[in-house]
Amino acid sequence: MTEVTQHLLTQTATIGRLYDKIEKSQGLRFNIFELLNVQYDEVSTHSAFIADLLDPRGSHDRGSIFLKAFYDSILTELKFDPAANYEVAVEHYIGKKQEKREGELIF
């Protein structure tokens, strides 16, 4: 192994350890789905859970507080309208998948 390769591997390991410390100190490793052993059941758990949180009429009885927080953090260029009649759909069909061509963005 060359000296450069060894140095690169050492630096990579150091960076990995630092990321581990950051994740641990900020609680970034917590995963409610893993804790409940449903981390691979996206349709009936993840989607349903997230949809309920984002639904202003969800079982949490908190109105649009979660939807607004999501909206504000993800869609920063748009303004949240608390008076709007938002609806949340789980696994909603939006049409046939389009093939992406080189250099093309699909939204």
Side-chain angles (χ1 to χ4, degrees):
M1 183 177 314
T2 69
E3 188 176 320
V4 173
T5 304
Q6 182 60 47
H7 178 72
L8 181 61
L9 291 173
T10 301
Q11 293 298 91
T12 302
T14 301
I15 291 169
R17 284 192 299 276
L18 290 172
Y19 274 116
D20 286 344
K21 285 182 182 180
I22 291 169
E23 287 177 350
K24 187 174 181 178
S25 71
Q26 295 181 1
L28 299 176
R29 294 182 180 183
F30 177 76
N31 181 337
I32 188 70
F33 301 113
E34 188 175 309
L35 180 70
L36 298 172
N37 200 29
V38 293
Q39 64 268 34
Y40 303 109
D41 192 11
E42 292 86 1
V43 175
S44 62
T45 55
H46 299 72
S47 297
F49 176 71
I50 293 168
D52 191 68
L53 280 177
L54 296 178
D55 188 348
R57 293 170 293 283
S59 64
H60 50 75
D61 291 325
R62 301 291 296 153
S64 61
I65 190 169
F66 299 115
L67 178 60
K68 181 181 183 323
F70 173 75
Y71 202 94
D72 290 346
S73 66
I74 302 299
L75 305 170
T76 55
E77 69 277 359
L78 302 173
K79 297 294 180 203
F80 181 79
D81 179 4
N85 188 20
Y86 295 103
E87 290 187 30
V88 176
V90 179
E91 304 295 325
H92 181 74
Y93 178 74
I94 60 170
K96 184 178 177 182
K97 179 183 173 187
Q98 296 179 5
E99 293 298 319
K100 181 181 176 196
R101 288 179 253 161
E102 186 66 31
E104 178 182 33
L105 295 176
I106 297 177
F107 295 96

